[in-house]
Amino acid sequence: MKAAKRGSTAKQGSARGAGGNGNRELLSLLRRMWVIRAFEEKVSALYAAREIVGLLHLGIGQEAVAVGVCSLLDADDQVYGGHRSHGHAIAKGADLNRLMAELAGRVTGYCRGKGGSMHVVAAETGFVTASGVVGGTVPLALGAAFAAREKGAGRVAVVFFGDGAGQTGPFHESLNIASLWRLPVIFVCENNGYAEFTPLSAHTKVERLAQHAGTYGIPSATVDGNDILAVRKAMGRAVDNARAGKGPTFVECLTYRLRGHYEGDPGKYRELSQLADWKKKDPIARFVRVLKRRQAASAEDFAKAESDARALVEAAAEFALSSPWPEPEETATQVCA
Amino acid sequence: MKAAKRGSTAKQGSARGAGGNGNRELLSLLRRMWVIRAFEEKVSALYAAREIVGLLHLGIGQEAVAVGVCSLLDADDQVYGGHRSHGHAIAKGADLNRLMAELAGRVTGYCRGKGGSMHVVAAETGFVTASGVVGGTVPLALGAAFAAREKGAGRVAVVFFGDGAGQTGPFHESLNIASLWRLPVIFVCENNGYAEFTPLSAHTKVERLAQHAGTYGIPSATVDGNDILAVRKAMGRAVDNARAGKGPTFVECLTYRLRGHYEGDPGKYRELSQLADWKKKDPIARFVRVLKRRQAASAEDFAKAESDARALVEAAAEFALSSPWPEPEETATQVCA
Amino acid sequence: MPELSYLEAIRSGLLAEMREDSSVYVFGEDVALGGPFGVTQGIAEELGEHRVVNTPISEGTVMGVAIGAALSGLRPVVEIMFVDFITLAMDQLVNHAAKLHYMSGGQLKVPLTVRVQCGVQGNMGAHHSQSLESWFLHVPGLKVVMPSNPADAESLMRDAIRDDNPVLFIEHRALYFSRAEASEGGSGLAMDRAAVLREGPDVTVAALSRMVGPALEAAEALADEGVSVEVVDLRSLVPLDIDTLVDSVRKTSRLVVVHEAVEQGGVGAEVAARVQERALYYLDSPILRVAAPNAPVPCAPPLENYFVPDKERIVEAVHRALSSQPS
Amino acid sequence: MPELSYLEAIRSGLLAEMREDSSVYVFGEDVALGGPFGVTQGIAEELGEHRVVNTPISEGTVMGVAIGAALSGLRPVVEIMFVDFITLAMDQLVNHAAKLHYMSGGQLKVPLTVRVQCGVQGNMGAHHSQSLESWFLHVPGLKVVMPSNPADAESLMRDAIRDDNPVLFIEHRALYFSRAEASEGGSGLAMDRAAVLREGPDVTVAALSRMVGPALEAAEALADEGVSVEVVDLRSLVPLDIDTLVDSVRKTSRLVVVHEAVEQGGVGAEVAARVQERALYYLDSPILRVAAPNAPVPCAPPLENYFVPDKERIVEAVHRALSSQPS
Ligand SMILES: Cc1ncc(C[n+]2csc(CCOP(=O)(O)OP(=O)(O)O)c2C)c(N)n1
Ligand SMILES: Cc1ncc(C[n+]2csc(CCOP(=O)(O)OP(=O)(O)O)c2C)c(N)n1
Ligand SMILES: [Mg+2]
Ligand SMILES: [Mg+2]
């Protein structure tokens, strides 16, 4: 139900090509960012309360990328994520209840509890899969793009990955194949400046990962990933090109994770001042300021965007924690199709 | 004995930094190219006669790269090759007898017959290893460069690989690490325009593989790989930089294999006219023309360069084919050190 | 069926599926040109270049592309030229192809066929001669088949492509040009059934892929001595048809398992472990393994010949099995 | 020795070698900061950043760099953060590290230690929980050790670094903070010796790594029933100390093998195959395997708990072994 609503909102987005910037549309973007933020804050709280266990990577602070990118996709465009993909799945229309239930290890979760935080799959929404292997989904997205091209219905494939994935062989092999075959795939690099505990400068001398795309003649843009409108602008062109059969695009979004690498990360490797600076660039607060300037919505609209989101998320937590656990016997089921 | 001679010649080369271009030096380069050519033509004949078996990839037509590159190295610089590396090993000083014996599967071979054509190792000459895995030795060369840097004796590591290796993940991961750690490694790409039966254009949209180096700020040069002096010029700078602690260099040598991908390859995928054009660019004939113009040597010097080479190679074949086979029991020895 | 070589039979099975199902695509290095051995020869000409896609030398990513295409409803057949190079595609094959159906709680399916060629033939050395099938027994979610003859190769190829799971289809290079007609027992079986190629009450010899031939030769030789051997072709490793083997061993009380992969950690270990678990009290002698010595594959002819198990070693093992007594 | 945790013991062994031998270098992701679990904590501070090298996320190439450095005379210790990611380094490890000594006819040596952490702990799911050790039994040229306690971890780490061959040193995440003192039997043995941790005439239980604990608990529980179990910690898989096991089985006539990896194609298969080969006539019951079910590792607590073998399943297997009769 909720899934359907978000799904259709997404559709509207790209129904208007690069996505309209009408007030209703803009407000819906804000709502969606709030849903992700509220969802992950709740996940964090439940983790602290030991109601959710596992290895959790939150994208708090990176919501503008997830929402900006997915707001331009249709429900049947295919999206792949990574280990930090709760937001990507939600932005693509994942049902909050089933997503929360998955993180909580319940049988009502998308993957019946088998997947978990790093391996979210919400197939019916077009969020094909996340992966615990850094860089692991980049080649998969090329395959989705290949299939889309063969079917000829103008579908595109999108893959989200981090700056750390930019030093993996499969990423580079994928850039080559995507350009060679002119695949309708969009590489969305969430460059949050760190891979685990070390800055990008410790992983590569390349300052803009988009440079790699340039080598292959793949059009690219490096944008402020905390500015949802900038993300949408770059993504709009990328989607139009892909649908028009013009091949891949690389969109590098400069952003920052406001939380640790994983929940529980003491985060000693980052200056507090750096964190503070980025808090000022919080993509949600920033977008609110933009909307205010444009008088795109009223004060209560803004308040409601957050409170509605929190309500949805509370309901999702309620649903998840009151759901049954999978039966132990399920451990050995669904190994083969 | 022979090995020692070639080894010391190699030393002379780099003793003069970028390698002197005095007549004696130039003639010795011609001699070395002739030795490789004669060796591989003999291998081809022995293969046709079923005196040598296995999967053979000859570098006939690419000798200027092997000799040009190795002529600037010292005996204790480390060289890695690939599946088409007879010439690299010889250029680095491998003993022809033990090399031929290895290809012929004899116990007197460098690897006691265990290795074979694609896996030549001539450790004492600094030719560390070839590999049957395309791209497989690129990371290994970085390790040699890392060790060289730690030992601080100004040694360099060189890896030969083909254009087809330029689309492998390890190659790209290696460019990143080499630049990040400023390793004294030289990437020598023998771009002969084909990977097996398909042209480079079927493998990548990137026209000059050296462009990949550029992305990382690795200095590079793309040179005529059939012009040994051009190869030496580019290599001279690369070696000087590496020894001076200035990090890696990428040398792309444009060349062509005058024989099939492997011995027995019908080679239907290439135009005869293309082959004919490249025959005109034969690196040996070309270098002879250069030396003649410079009057660097006499007619009989040229004739002798070839005849001496053929004599050495005949002796090597003689040695190899009269050598004993390894005992079957050796199959399970030397598995662990 | 017409007398095809093993290689032609693989092509025939592949082509038949590609003609019937337009969602079957082939990916691999130089496959549009037939590949180095010619298995895919002529397919691009008949069905179009778009169905037989040449790839760069990027095994890991090409495997991932095929998996992603399978997740999007195609039925890709990806060729890894030598099993030695599957080492470059293990993450995609093991962590993604094999696991996504399970990890997604059944939401995703990966109808992928991985064609790969293995084994010793032609003095190619340690990087072009391995047999690594046993690794994949240990990867839940994968199916693994190893045909020993043209008839099985054709039917197993069709089964593999139609299967909704990732199937590793392991070909043996040394069999490509063999025309040995499949025995009745061998043809037209379901993918998950072993084939009893020859019946006999004295000893069971279970063999795999290219070792089935020497096993049958050994059985012939032993028949002249009056020893009647039952020869079982395992055909499929996952699922493994243990019932057929156990029934056979309960009859013969002796088992010799033969494969070309090195003995330690090979398929023979799993077969022995399972058979003794279900038939220990029927065993009159230890289950013996005939396999390659524990070494990389050497290149020189005398070493390579010694490396590969042959009829003589199988006969010798059967003799040991027959003469073994409580000490 | 001082009472160290498993994790501290690994660090202690590593640090001791690094202090004594300046050719020992550590490579891995964030290792200079201690890595995600802190194993290499403090080493860079003491010995310098140049000895503990942070790497990009490029497992395959980092493995290759370490191999190349080993070929040039260093003794690198490379850390692969989770064994699940060794799938990205298989070509370098299997085709190069393991084979170069052999392929070069003894010219080359690869004194490399690969530290990797494995197993189920903390609901991390299918990409951060596997146990893949049995693959490496099947790779001639590699050695493989899996310490179960701090004392072994420290001595095996030192042995591994001093070995002139590539050694896969497999740590279990669930043991990192265990301080269980090693039994006398367990400590200070040579790398290639299994440890008899508890003697008993009734049944032999052979266990691996993190499963040694539950095996000892099961033995305790069974003792109360009057069943006296002999517990053997395999410690090293390659070489595998089969003599110790065979001697034990010849005494007890019954064997249960326990590991956390999935049963099919696991180490238990090789152990069973070898033991029955040498001790068939001593066996009163089939060799049983207690291992994970044949599935990827699930994430949800009830599934993960069910996946990992425990004391109860070992006790139950011992009961089955004791009650098994010719049918
Ligand atoms: C192949 C692989 N190697 C190592 C890891 C361990 N790991 C998990 S997240 C991570 C850092 C990833 O950084 P980045 O790609 O920038 O994504 P971010 O965490 O910043 O979102 C690492 C090294 C992994 N999951 N997969
Ligand atoms: C990883 C890997 N994949 C595939 C092969 C099969 N193969 C052998 S040579 C070759 C082409 C290599 O082309 P290139 O790197 O240009 O070297 P060249 O043969 O032209 O010298 C291929 C695909 C291999 N040996 N290794
Ligand atoms: Mg990052
Ligand atoms: Mg080439």
Side-chain angles (χ1 to χ4, degrees), chain A residues 166 171-172 175 204-216, chain B residues 172 175-176 179 206 208-220:
Chain A
F171 163 73
H172 291 273
L175 285 177
T204 185
K205 283 243 169 296
V206 178
E207 283 177 7
R208 291 277 161 266
L209 294 171
Q211 289 170 244
H212 293 298
T215 316
Y216 296 94
Chain B
H172 291 274
L175 286 177
N176 181 57
S179 62
V206 178
R208 291 277 162 265
L209 294 171
Q211 289 170 243
H212 292 299
T215 315
Y216 296 94
I218 297 175
S220 71

mmCIF file of all heavy atoms in Angstrom, chain A residues 166 171-172 175 204-216, chain B residues 172 175-176 179 206 208-220:
data_model
loop_
_atom_site.group_PDB
_atom_site.id
_atom_site.type_symbol
_atom_site.label_atom_id
_atom_site.label_comp_id
_atom_site.label_asym_id
_atom_site.label_seq_id
_atom_site.Cartn_x
_atom_site.Cartn_y
_atom_site.Cartn_z
ATOM 1 N N GLY A 166 35.637 2.357 -5.937
ATOM 2 C CA GLY A 166 36.305 2.898 -7.114
ATOM 3 C C GLY A 166 37.713 2.376 -7.331
ATOM 4 O O GLY A 166 38.344 2.672 -8.347
ATOM 5 N N PHE A 171 34.843 -2.782 -10.806
ATOM 6 C CA PHE A 171 34.366 -1.444 -11.164
ATOM 7 C C PHE A 171 35.019 -1.000 -12.472
ATOM 8 O O PHE A 171 34.339 -0.535 -13.400
ATOM 9 C CB PHE A 171 34.684 -0.468 -10.033
ATOM 10 C CG PHE A 171 34.609 0.983 -10.421
ATOM 11 C CD1 PHE A 171 33.394 1.605 -10.644
ATOM 12 C CD2 PHE A 171 35.779 1.734 -10.564
ATOM 13 C CE1 PHE A 171 33.328 2.943 -10.994
ATOM 14 C CE2 PHE A 171 35.716 3.071 -10.913
ATOM 15 C CZ PHE A 171 34.495 3.677 -11.143
ATOM 16 N N HIS A 172 36.312 -1.183 -12.583
ATOM 17 C CA HIS A 172 37.015 -0.742 -13.792
ATOM 18 C C HIS A 172 36.650 -1.603 -14.995
ATOM 19 O O HIS A 172 36.443 -1.106 -16.095
ATOM 20 C CB HIS A 172 38.522 -0.723 -13.546
ATOM 21 C CG HIS A 172 38.921 0.352 -12.588
ATOM 22 N ND1 HIS A 172 39.203 1.630 -12.978
ATOM 23 C CD2 HIS A 172 39.026 0.342 -11.238
ATOM 24 C CE1 HIS A 172 39.488 2.371 -11.915
ATOM 25 N NE2 HIS A 172 39.393 1.606 -10.849
ATOM 26 N N LEU A 175 33.295 -0.327 -16.187
ATOM 27 C CA LEU A 175 33.308 0.915 -16.967
ATOM 28 C C LEU A 175 33.641 0.592 -18.419
ATOM 29 O O LEU A 175 33.028 1.108 -19.356
ATOM 30 C CB LEU A 175 34.345 1.890 -16.414
ATOM 31 C CG LEU A 175 34.014 2.617 -15.119
ATOM 32 C CD1 LEU A 175 35.210 3.476 -14.696
ATOM 33 C CD2 LEU A 175 32.772 3.482 -15.258
ATOM 34 N N THR A 204 43.564 6.228 -3.235
ATOM 35 C CA THR A 204 43.884 6.537 -4.630
ATOM 36 C C THR A 204 44.409 7.963 -4.768
ATOM 37 O O THR A 204 44.105 8.824 -3.941
ATOM 38 C CB THR A 204 42.637 6.375 -5.534
ATOM 39 O OG1 THR A 204 43.025 6.562 -6.900
ATOM 40 C CG2 THR A 204 41.542 7.380 -5.161
ATOM 41 N N LYS A 205 45.194 8.171 -5.817
ATOM 42 C CA LYS A 205 45.674 9.514 -6.120
ATOM 43 C C LYS A 205 44.658 10.265 -6.977
ATOM 44 O O LYS A 205 44.802 11.457 -7.231
ATOM 45 C CB LYS A 205 47.002 9.417 -6.891
ATOM 46 C CG LYS A 205 48.193 9.102 -6.030
ATOM 47 C CD LYS A 205 49.189 10.264 -6.070
ATOM 48 C CE LYS A 205 50.275 10.120 -5.024
ATOM 49 N NZ LYS A 205 49.740 10.182 -3.660
ATOM 50 N N VAL A 206 43.656 9.544 -7.451
ATOM 51 C CA VAL A 206 42.660 10.158 -8.330
ATOM 52 C C VAL A 206 41.696 10.982 -7.483
ATOM 53 O O VAL A 206 41.086 10.461 -6.546
ATOM 54 C CB VAL A 206 41.893 9.074 -9.108
ATOM 55 C CG1 VAL A 206 40.811 9.695 -9.990
ATOM 56 C CG2 VAL A 206 42.872 8.267 -9.959
ATOM 57 N N GLU A 207 41.583 12.262 -7.799
ATOM 58 C CA GLU A 207 40.773 13.120 -6.931
ATOM 59 C C GLU A 207 39.290 13.029 -7.211
ATOM 60 O O GLU A 207 38.481 13.044 -6.291
ATOM 61 C CB GLU A 207 41.273 14.557 -7.003
ATOM 62 C CG GLU A 207 42.542 14.711 -6.179
ATOM 63 C CD GLU A 207 43.150 16.087 -6.243
ATOM 64 O OE1 GLU A 207 42.525 16.993 -6.814
ATOM 65 O OE2 GLU A 207 44.272 16.235 -5.723
ATOM 66 N N ARG A 208 38.946 12.934 -8.487
ATOM 67 C CA ARG A 208 37.537 12.812 -8.872
ATOM 68 C C ARG A 208 37.353 11.460 -9.524
ATOM 69 O O ARG A 208 37.919 11.209 -10.583
ATOM 70 C CB ARG A 208 37.145 13.923 -9.857
ATOM 71 C CG ARG A 208 37.116 15.302 -9.235
ATOM 72 C CD ARG A 208 35.789 15.534 -8.516
ATOM 73 N NE ARG A 208 35.903 16.637 -7.565
ATOM 74 C CZ ARG A 208 36.194 16.491 -6.263
ATOM 75 N NH1 ARG A 208 36.400 15.283 -5.773
ATOM 76 N NH2 ARG A 208 36.264 17.517 -5.458
ATOM 77 N N LEU A 209 36.567 10.598 -8.897
ATOM 78 C CA LEU A 209 36.414 9.254 -9.465
ATOM 79 C C LEU A 209 35.772 9.314 -10.854
ATOM 80 O O LEU A 209 35.940 8.408 -11.666
ATOM 81 C CB LEU A 209 35.621 8.375 -8.505
ATOM 82 C CG LEU A 209 36.398 8.130 -7.200
ATOM 83 C CD1 LEU A 209 35.527 7.444 -6.157
ATOM 84 C CD2 LEU A 209 37.649 7.304 -7.460
ATOM 85 N N ALA A 210 35.078 10.403 -11.117
ATOM 86 C CA ALA A 210 34.470 10.571 -12.445
ATOM 87 C C ALA A 210 35.536 10.590 -13.544
ATOM 88 O O ALA A 210 35.236 10.306 -14.711
ATOM 89 C CB ALA A 210 33.640 11.845 -12.490
ATOM 90 N N GLN A 211 36.793 10.903 -13.170
ATOM 91 C CA GLN A 211 37.856 10.900 -14.188
ATOM 92 C C GLN A 211 37.970 9.534 -14.874
ATOM 93 O O GLN A 211 38.302 9.452 -16.047
ATOM 94 C CB GLN A 211 39.205 11.255 -13.545
ATOM 95 C CG GLN A 211 39.331 12.708 -13.122
ATOM 96 C CD GLN A 211 40.575 12.952 -12.278
ATOM 97 O OE1 GLN A 211 40.488 13.323 -11.111
ATOM 98 N NE2 GLN A 211 41.740 12.697 -12.878
ATOM 99 N N HIS A 212 37.717 8.480 -14.096
ATOM 100 C CA HIS A 212 37.819 7.147 -14.701
ATOM 101 C C HIS A 212 36.827 7.007 -15.857
ATOM 102 O O HIS A 212 37.115 6.385 -16.871
ATOM 103 C CB HIS A 212 37.563 6.064 -13.659
ATOM 104 C CG HIS A 212 38.618 5.984 -12.603
ATOM 105 N ND1 HIS A 212 39.930 5.692 -12.891
ATOM 106 C CD2 HIS A 212 38.564 6.178 -11.261
ATOM 107 C CE1 HIS A 212 40.646 5.694 -11.767
ATOM 108 N NE2 HIS A 212 39.834 5.995 -10.762
ATOM 109 N N ALA A 213 35.643 7.584 -15.677
ATOM 110 C CA ALA A 213 34.640 7.506 -16.745
ATOM 111 C C ALA A 213 35.156 8.217 -17.985
ATOM 112 O O ALA A 213 35.014 7.721 -19.105
ATOM 113 C CB ALA A 213 33.329 8.125 -16.279
ATOM 114 N N GLY A 214 35.801 9.357 -17.759
ATOM 115 C CA GLY A 214 36.318 10.135 -18.879
ATOM 116 C C GLY A 214 37.231 9.322 -19.768
ATOM 117 O O GLY A 214 37.172 9.411 -20.998
ATOM 118 N N THR A 215 38.065 8.491 -19.167
ATOM 119 C CA THR A 215 38.992 7.677 -19.956
ATOM 120 C C THR A 215 38.248 6.856 -21.007
ATOM 121 O O THR A 215 38.763 6.597 -22.083
ATOM 122 C CB THR A 215 39.757 6.705 -19.030
ATOM 123 O OG1 THR A 215 40.182 7.403 -17.874
ATOM 124 C CG2 THR A 215 40.953 6.106 -19.753
ATOM 125 N N TYR A 216 37.040 6.447 -20.659
ATOM 126 C CA TYR A 216 36.266 5.597 -21.573
ATOM 127 C C TYR A 216 35.304 6.405 -22.436
ATOM 128 O O TYR A 216 34.486 5.827 -23.156
ATOM 129 C CB TYR A 216 35.480 4.561 -20.767
ATOM 130 C CG TYR A 216 36.361 3.603 -20.014
ATOM 131 C CD1 TYR A 216 36.710 3.831 -18.688
ATOM 132 C CD2 TYR A 216 36.883 2.471 -20.647
ATOM 133 C CE1 TYR A 216 37.545 2.959 -17.997
ATOM 134 C CE2 TYR A 216 37.706 1.594 -19.965
ATOM 135 C CZ TYR A 216 38.042 1.850 -18.643
ATOM 136 O OH TYR A 216 38.854 0.990 -17.971
ATOM 137 N N HIS B 172 44.047 -2.681 -13.636
ATOM 138 C CA HIS B 172 43.582 -1.363 -13.172
ATOM 139 C C HIS B 172 43.853 -1.174 -11.683
ATOM 140 O O HIS B 172 44.280 -0.099 -11.248
ATOM 141 C CB HIS B 172 42.103 -1.187 -13.508
ATOM 142 C CG HIS B 172 41.860 -1.052 -14.972
ATOM 143 N ND1 HIS B 172 41.937 0.142 -15.634
ATOM 144 C CD2 HIS B 172 41.615 -1.996 -15.917
ATOM 145 C CE1 HIS B 172 41.720 -0.053 -16.921
ATOM 146 N NE2 HIS B 172 41.531 -1.339 -17.122
ATOM 147 N N LEU B 175 47.506 -0.237 -11.445
ATOM 148 C CA LEU B 175 47.849 1.147 -11.774
ATOM 149 C C LEU B 175 47.592 2.034 -10.565
ATOM 150 O O LEU B 175 48.396 2.908 -10.221
ATOM 151 C CB LEU B 175 47.004 1.644 -12.959
ATOM 152 C CG LEU B 175 47.350 1.127 -14.344
ATOM 153 C CD1 LEU B 175 46.353 1.666 -15.360
ATOM 154 C CD2 LEU B 175 48.773 1.517 -14.737
ATOM 155 N N ASN B 176 46.463 1.783 -9.906
ATOM 156 C CA ASN B 176 46.111 2.615 -8.751
ATOM 157 C C ASN B 176 47.143 2.464 -7.638
ATOM 158 O O ASN B 176 47.656 3.451 -7.103
ATOM 159 C CB ASN B 176 44.721 2.221 -8.243
ATOM 160 C CG ASN B 176 44.289 3.064 -7.064
ATOM 161 O OD1 ASN B 176 44.235 4.289 -7.142
ATOM 162 N ND2 ASN B 176 44.032 2.398 -5.940
ATOM 163 N N SER B 179 50.635 3.937 -8.415
ATOM 164 C CA SER B 179 50.696 5.407 -8.322
ATOM 165 C C SER B 179 50.556 5.849 -6.868
ATOM 166 O O SER B 179 51.267 6.747 -6.415
ATOM 167 C CB SER B 179 49.599 6.045 -9.176
ATOM 168 O OG SER B 179 48.313 5.668 -8.718
ATOM 169 N N VAL B 206 38.867 2.496 -25.537
ATOM 170 C CA VAL B 206 40.056 3.317 -25.262
ATOM 171 C C VAL B 206 41.100 3.055 -26.339
ATOM 172 O O VAL B 206 41.472 1.908 -26.568
ATOM 173 C CB VAL B 206 40.623 2.973 -23.867
ATOM 174 C CG1 VAL B 206 41.887 3.775 -23.588
ATOM 175 C CG2 VAL B 206 39.571 3.249 -22.791
ATOM 176 N N ARG B 208 44.286 4.441 -26.775
ATOM 177 C CA ARG B 208 45.671 4.304 -26.291
ATOM 178 C C ARG B 208 45.600 3.830 -24.853
ATOM 179 O O ARG B 208 45.104 4.562 -23.988
ATOM 180 C CB ARG B 208 46.399 5.651 -26.350
ATOM 181 C CG ARG B 208 46.676 6.133 -27.757
ATOM 182 C CD ARG B 208 47.944 5.504 -28.316
ATOM 183 N NE ARG B 208 47.983 5.626 -29.759
ATOM 184 C CZ ARG B 208 47.556 4.667 -30.598
ATOM 185 N NH1 ARG B 208 47.058 3.534 -30.137
ATOM 186 N NH2 ARG B 208 47.636 4.839 -31.901
ATOM 187 N N LEU B 209 46.115 2.639 -24.597
ATOM 188 C CA LEU B 209 46.011 2.108 -23.235
ATOM 189 C C LEU B 209 46.766 2.990 -22.250
ATOM 190 O O LEU B 209 46.468 3.009 -21.052
ATOM 191 C CB LEU B 209 46.489 0.658 -23.202
ATOM 192 C CG LEU B 209 45.562 -0.261 -24.023
ATOM 193 C CD1 LEU B 209 46.165 -1.647 -24.174
ATOM 194 C CD2 LEU B 209 44.184 -0.363 -23.385
ATOM 195 N N ALA B 210 47.719 3.759 -22.769
ATOM 196 C CA ALA B 210 48.474 4.668 -21.901
ATOM 197 C C ALA B 210 47.554 5.703 -21.250
ATOM 198 O O ALA B 210 47.884 6.280 -20.217
ATOM 199 C CB ALA B 210 49.575 5.359 -22.698
ATOM 200 N N GLN B 211 46.370 5.926 -21.857
ATOM 201 C CA GLN B 211 45.435 6.885 -21.251
ATOM 202 C C GLN B 211 45.071 6.488 -19.825
ATOM 203 O O GLN B 211 44.833 7.339 -18.969
ATOM 204 C CB GLN B 211 44.152 6.972 -22.080
ATOM 205 C CG GLN B 211 44.325 7.675 -23.428
ATOM 206 C CD GLN B 211 43.084 7.508 -24.308
ATOM 207 O OE1 GLN B 211 43.147 6.906 -25.378
ATOM 208 N NE2 GLN B 211 41.958 8.013 -23.838
ATOM 209 N N HIS B 212 45.014 5.179 -19.574
ATOM 210 C CA HIS B 212 44.667 4.741 -18.214
ATOM 211 C C HIS B 212 45.705 5.229 -17.207
ATOM 212 O O HIS B 212 45.373 5.604 -16.090
ATOM 213 C CB HIS B 212 44.564 3.213 -18.155
ATOM 214 C CG HIS B 212 43.420 2.655 -18.926
ATOM 215 N ND1 HIS B 212 42.106 2.967 -18.651
ATOM 216 C CD2 HIS B 212 43.383 1.816 -19.992
ATOM 217 C CE1 HIS B 212 41.312 2.330 -19.497
ATOM 218 N NE2 HIS B 212 42.062 1.628 -20.324
ATOM 219 N N ALA B 213 46.959 5.220 -17.632
ATOM 220 C CA ALA B 213 48.014 5.690 -16.735
ATOM 221 C C ALA B 213 47.791 7.162 -16.412
ATOM 222 O O ALA B 213 47.918 7.598 -15.268
ATOM 223 C CB ALA B 213 49.384 5.486 -17.373
ATOM 224 N N GLY B 214 47.416 7.909 -17.447
ATOM 225 C CA GLY B 214 47.197 9.342 -17.273
ATOM 226 C C GLY B 214 46.209 9.638 -16.160
ATOM 227 O O GLY B 214 46.403 10.563 -15.364
ATOM 228 N N THR B 215 45.164 8.829 -16.069
ATOM 229 C CA THR B 215 44.155 9.056 -15.038
ATOM 230 C C THR B 215 44.787 9.088 -13.655
ATOM 231 O O THR B 215 44.322 9.795 -12.761
ATOM 232 C CB THR B 215 43.103 7.922 -15.079
ATOM 233 O OG1 THR B 215 42.733 7.675 -16.437
ATOM 234 C CG2 THR B 215 41.868 8.292 -14.273
ATOM 235 N N TYR B 216 45.839 8.311 -13.479
ATOM 236 C CA TYR B 216 46.483 8.215 -12.163
ATOM 237 C C TYR B 216 47.681 9.142 -12.036
ATOM 238 O O TYR B 216 48.413 9.085 -11.050
ATOM 239 C CB TYR B 216 46.942 6.772 -11.923
ATOM 240 C CG TYR B 216 45.801 5.790 -11.857
ATOM 241 C CD1 TYR B 216 45.392 5.089 -12.984
ATOM 242 C CD2 TYR B 216 45.100 5.588 -10.658
ATOM 243 C CE1 TYR B 216 44.329 4.194 -12.923
ATOM 244 C CE2 TYR B 216 44.045 4.699 -10.596
ATOM 245 C CZ TYR B 216 43.660 4.006 -11.727
ATOM 246 O OH TYR B 216 42.607 3.130 -11.673
ATOM 247 N N GLY B 217 47.904 9.934 -13.059
ATOM 248 C CA GLY B 217 49.079 10.794 -13.029
ATOM 249 C C GLY B 217 50.371 10.019 -13.221
ATOM 250 O O GLY B 217 51.452 10.474 -12.852
ATOM 251 N N ILE B 218 50.260 8.833 -13.788
ATOM 252 C CA ILE B 218 51.465 8.045 -14.082
ATOM 253 C C ILE B 218 52.003 8.508 -15.435
ATOM 254 O O ILE B 218 51.271 8.487 -16.425
ATOM 255 C CB ILE B 218 51.152 6.534 -14.132
ATOM 256 C CG1 ILE B 218 50.672 6.041 -12.764
ATOM 257 C CG2 ILE B 218 52.355 5.739 -14.622
ATOM 258 C CD1 ILE B 218 50.223 4.583 -12.759
ATOM 259 N N PRO B 219 53.279 8.950 -15.488
ATOM 260 C CA PRO B 219 53.838 9.372 -16.768
ATOM 261 C C PRO B 219 53.783 8.216 -17.764
ATOM 262 O O PRO B 219 53.937 7.056 -17.378
ATOM 263 C CB PRO B 219 55.294 9.717 -16.447
ATOM 264 C CG PRO B 219 55.420 9.701 -14.968
ATOM 265 C CD PRO B 219 54.253 8.988 -14.392
ATOM 266 N N SER B 220 53.519 8.550 -19.018
ATOM 267 C CA SER B 220 53.432 7.478 -20.008
ATOM 268 C C SER B 220 53.942 7.939 -21.353
ATOM 269 O O SER B 220 54.074 9.137 -21.611
ATOM 270 C CB SER B 220 51.981 7.031 -20.155
ATOM 271 O OG SER B 220 51.237 8.046 -20.815
#
